[in-house]
Every structure is written in structure tokens, then in C-alpha cells.
């Protein structure tokens, strides 16, 4: 979960990184792709849909009560014309909209009840539960022929007195390979709760267990992100946990791979990974193993000059390739690698967000990288998005890369200070042509937010047919700072 970029998150120490984690004012997506990229289809029409947060939105006069927006795919892509906008005041949704709830701050999709429609697990990490301030909550909003309508069921917190911010991290996958979607849930502690598939209409899971990676707990806010994907091609989903290590005074970022198995996730076989506070998993080189992409978007040193391990000037993206044994060799990419667009500069935030999808249908996954802090001309922190294409040898950093900013011809909008274009990115086929399209979140207009759609033309991302969606056209109030499009569902 990212805090606002203006607070200079890039120091990458535990204190600096977590100082604003629990404000929920801007959050990351947990990009959950497997060797075959799953995408949401809430109305089961065969075309991908996109869900995202506006967790800072006013609802019924309540500040930061939060909403989520679902845009439904079609032959011409996504727009605000075909959407659902859901709050806790929506009929059928458990609870009620209250100040500071941040409904929709985190989301994960899967068909949790096996009815053929994808459902949406939604975190409300600021929810007060009884006398427990910020205890947090999780609901599952059920998919249907009409998509996500607001009909949902609360998912009980197994240990409400043991933590706060229940539901601040979510990831869906079949961790035990039984054909039913499980849900991993994070909170303010290091303990991750795994709710087993077979959810009832009342939101009751088929069972539950916990795993506890060696990351900081309460003081650092628990996991930063959870990402699900099949890295060792076992047929059982694995989990990557982004967090802070517990064995150094500095508290550097530390991630762990936890393999799935017939009995679920195996913490005893966990392996440490390269750093990053956002992760994507998918098969880049076409070998049928999920590859792990991590975004270490900070600079090489802290403000006091302390060197940060495995980092790059202005950010670094690590690609760790999958194998039978799980994670194997890793390679780092910066804006100074090969012909990657741009130049590595301090506070570019290269790797601030990541997602994988097949833009050209060649069977190799391509990578969208948010460079949310990029300066263009006199516009500071206006942001860009880089697209690198997958090949049998991995990501092609020598040729073919694309870069998009709001000043790119055909992209809606213009470069302005603090737009942070690329604060979230998503590669999903929302036209039904079998090619992934690019969807970009930004902090347009003083954190009102915006979502930009850039379609695939079958071989590349194009600006032809692009459009931008805003809060005001999507049923979200621009009072305060709604952070519309800050976090896409995965």
C-alpha cells in the first residue's frame, strides 16, 4: 500500500515507508497474474471488466467513507457509461458508509461461490467494529448477469482482537489446488489469514488457517502487498508477500515467496526475494512458469545517504523467473537499462506500479510499469507509463518499448504538476479481442483522480480510441480527495 507520493516515500526505511500507510489515502494494487492471466468477468459475458477504488470519496456527507467503481468491458472498451458505483450505502451491501471507513481500499476478484460469475472481495480497513476503532472489514460482492450490483456478504474476521485494519491486503488464488478460490487477508500484523474456498452465500469460507512470514508486524503495519500466482507450475497458487524484514535495525523491504500445496500454503518452504513494494506474477518468457516482477521504486540511498540494497537511482524493477523449484535467477531493470524509455533520475518512482498482460497475443506476457514521479519539462511528478514486451528470452529492453504520458499525442489530458500518471496500471482485455489493453490511474486535479484507457491495436498499445474517465462522470463526489482510480482490483 502506497502513501501519497508527496510525502517522499522513497527513503525506503521502515519508518519512512510506513508513516502514512494507515491513512489509506492512496493504495496499490496487488497484481495477481498466473501463467494464464486471470481477468475479472463479473457479468460472465466473456469480456474483461475493471474494478477500482475511490476509497477517499465522500458518501452521504461522510468523509473518506469510500466507494468502488466497476467499468464493464465491451467491443469499444471501457467507459463510464456502463458501470456500477458501489458504497456501503448501496442496497444489499453489508454495513453503512461512515467517515474514515475507506471502503474499497483493497479488492481482489475470483469466482468465490463457483456460479460462473467472478465476485469481488472488498476491504474496508478503516471500519470501526463495535468498540474496536479501525478494526477493519471484508465483504464479498457477488457477481451476476448484471455484474456487481452491491449484493454482498460480510466475511467474519477470525481474530478481531488480534489486529486492526483487517482487509487492508487481499489476494485470491487456489492455494491448495482443489478447484475452489481461496482468499488471503492481511491486517496490521504479520499474520496472514487464508480463508479456504467453498464460500457460502453468507460469506462463510470452507475453512481457514494462517501463515506468518518473518516481516514486521504492528509497528510497520503488517504486509505491504499480497500477490497470488503459480510460479512453479504446480497447479496450486503460490503467494508473494511484500513487507519489511525483522532482522535489521534499518527494516529494509523484504519479500517472500510462499509455495502452495495440497494442504495450502507452506510457510516452511518460504524463500526470500528481491525487494519491491508492489509485485506482479505471470509467464513472461512462455515457459509455463510464473515470473515474479517487483517494483523497488525508491532511490539508491536514503535522505541521510545510507545505501539501500538492490535499489536503483529513481527506481528499479526486478524480474525473478519461475521454475520447478520456484523462484530462480533474477535480473534488474532501470531506466538506464538498454533502450528502456527515459533516464534514471532521483524520485522518478520507476516501478511504482506494475501489471502483466499479453498486448499482442504472442503468448508472452508484457509488462506495464508506472513511473509516477517522472518530470516532463516544467511539470514535476506528472508521471509516465512504460510498456516492455515479453519474448522467449524475457522482457525486451533493447527494442520495441513504449512510453506514454498525458502529453503523448492522442492521450487525454496534459502534463501537470503532481498528476502522478501511472500511480496504478492494469493490462486487461476489455474489448474481447484476446489482446490486453492498458488502463492507467492518475491523481489528476488535486487527487480527484482519473482513469485513462489506451487500447491494444492487436500488436501494440495505441492512443486511437483512448478515453479518460473521471469521478464526476462515474457517480463519485469530488468533495475532498476521492483518489478515484488509485487501486485496480486484481
Amino acid at each position: 500500500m502506497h502513501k501519497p507520493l508527496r510525502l517522499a516515500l522513497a527513503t525506503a526505511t521502515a519508518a519512512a515507508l510506513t508513516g502514512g500507510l494507515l491513512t489509506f489515502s492512496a493504495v496499490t494494487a496487488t497484481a495477481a497474474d498466473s501463467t494464464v492471466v486471470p481477468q475479472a468477468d463479473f457479468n460472465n459475458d466473456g469480456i474483461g471488466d475493471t474494478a477500482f477504488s475511490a476509497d477517499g470519496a465522500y458518501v452521504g456527507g461522510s468523509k473518506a467513507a469510500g466507494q468502488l467503481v466497476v467499468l464493464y468491458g465491451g467491443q469499444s472498451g471501457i467507459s463510464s457509461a456502463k458501470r456500477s458505483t458501489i458504497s456501503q450505502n448501496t442496497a444489499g451491501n453489508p454495513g453503512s458508509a461512515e467517515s474514515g471507513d475507506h471502503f474499497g481500499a483493497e479488492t481482489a476478484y475470483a469466482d468465490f461461490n463457483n456460479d460462473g460469475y467472478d465476485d469481488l472481495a472488498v476491504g474496508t480497513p478503516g471500519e470501526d467494529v463495535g468498540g474496536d476503532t479501525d478494526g477493519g472489514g471484508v465483504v464479498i460482492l457477488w457477481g451476476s448477469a448484471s455484474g456487481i450490483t452491491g449484493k454482498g456478504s460480510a466475511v467474519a474476521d477470525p481474530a478481531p482482537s488480534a489486529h486492526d485494519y483487517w482487509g487492508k491486503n487481499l489476494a485470491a488464488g487456489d492455494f491448495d489446488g482443489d478447484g475452489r478460490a481461496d482468499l488471503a487477508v492481511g491486517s496490521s500484523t504479520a499474520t496472514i489469514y487464508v480463508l479456504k474456498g467453498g464460500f457460502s452465500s453468507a460469506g462463510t469460507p470452507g475453512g481457514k488457517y494462517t501463515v506468518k512470514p518473518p516481516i514486521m508486524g504492528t509497528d510497520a503495519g503488517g504486509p505491504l502487498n499480497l500477490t497470488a500466482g503459480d510460479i512453479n507450475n504446480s497447479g496450486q497458487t503460490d503467494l508473494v508477500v511484500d513487507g519489511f524484514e525483522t532482522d535489521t535495525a534499518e527494516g529494509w523491504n523484504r519479500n517472500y515467496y510462499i509455495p502452495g500445496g495440497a494442504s495450502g500454503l507452506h510457510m516452511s518452504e518460504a524463500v526470500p526475494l528481491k525487494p519491491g513494494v508492489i509485485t506482479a506474477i505471470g509467464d513472461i518468457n512462455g515457459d509455463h512458469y510464473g515470473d515474479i516482477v517487483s517494483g523497488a521504486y525508491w532511490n539508491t540511498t536514503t535522505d541521510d545517504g545510507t545505501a539501500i540494497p538492490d535499489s536503483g537511482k529513481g527506481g528499479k524493477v526486478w524480474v525473478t523467473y519461475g521454475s520447478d523449484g520456484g523462484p530462480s535467477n533474477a535480473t534488474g531493470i532501470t531506466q538506464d537499462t538498454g533502450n528502456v524509455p527515459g533516464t534514471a533520475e532521483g524520485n522518478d518512482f520507476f516501478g511504482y506500479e506494475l501489471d502483466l498482460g499479453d498486448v499482442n497475443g504472442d503468448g508472452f506476457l508484457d509488462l506495464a510499469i508506472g513511473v509516477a514521479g517522472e518530470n516532463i519539462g516544467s511539470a514535476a511528478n506528472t508521471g509516465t507509463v512504460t510498456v516492455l514486451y515479453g519474448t522467449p528470452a524475457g522482457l525486451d529492453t533493447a527494442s520495441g518499448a513504449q512510453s506514454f504520458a498525458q502529453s503523448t499525442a492522442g492521450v487525454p489530458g496534459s502534463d501537470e504538476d503532481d498528476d502522478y500518471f501511472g500511480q496504478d496500471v492494469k493490462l486487461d482485455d476489455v474489448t474481447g479481442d484476446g489482446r490486453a489493453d492498458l488502463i492507467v490511474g492518475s491523481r489528476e486535479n488535486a487527487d480527484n483522480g482519473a482513469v485513462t484507457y489506451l487500447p491494444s491495436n492487436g500488436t501494440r498499445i495505441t492512443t486511437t480510441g483512448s478515453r479518460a474517465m473521471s469521478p464526476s462522470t462515474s457517480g463519485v463526489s469530488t468533495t475532498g480527495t476521492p483518489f478515484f482510480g488509485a487501486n485496480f482490483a486484481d
Side-chain angles (χ1 to χ4, degrees), residues 334-353:
T334 73
Q335 286 183 293
D336 287 341
T337 301
N339 288 313
V340 173
T343 301
E345 300 164 312
N347 298 324
D348 278 347
F349 300 123
F350 180 77
Y352 189 77
E353 277 293 346

Side-chain angles (χ1 to χ4, degrees), residues 328-394:
S328 59
N329 59 303
T331 185
I333 300 170
T334 73
Q335 286 183 293
D336 287 341
T337 301
N339 288 313
V340 173
T343 301
E345 300 164 312
N347 298 324
D348 278 347
F349 300 123
F350 180 77
Y352 189 77
E353 277 293 346
L354 306 164
D355 201 31
L356 289 160
D358 192 352
V359 172
N360 52 17
D362 63 358
F364 306 104
L365 293 189
D366 312 309
L367 177 67
I369 304 171
V371 194
E374 185 77 46
N375 299 340
I376 300 177
S378 62
N381 303 319
T382 189
T384 65
V385 175
T386 295
V387 180
L388 301 178
Y389 286 84
T391 75

Side-chain angles (χ1 to χ4, degrees), residues 444-456:
E444 193 79 17
N445 298 328
D447 297 333
N448 281 346
V451 171
T452 301
Y453 161 70
L454 301 172
S456 168

Side-chain angles (χ1 to χ4, degrees), residues 388-408:
L388 301 178
Y389 286 84
T391 75
L395 291 171
D396 186 354
T397 58
S399 64
Q402 294 182 279
S403 180
F404 298 93
Q406 288 184 292
S407 56
T408 302

Side-chain angles (χ1 to χ4, degrees), residues 6 28 32 51 96 158 220 276 408 463 472 485:
R6 63 176 178 267
T28 62
S96 59
T408 302
T463 61
S472 58

Side-chain angles (χ1 to χ4, degrees), residues 302-326:
T302 64
D303 290 343
D304 65 5
T306 303
I308 303 174
D310 293 325
S311 60
K313 184 177 182 181
K316 192 169 191 175
V317 170
W318 285 99
V319 182
T320 303
Y321 290 94
S323 71
D324 276 335

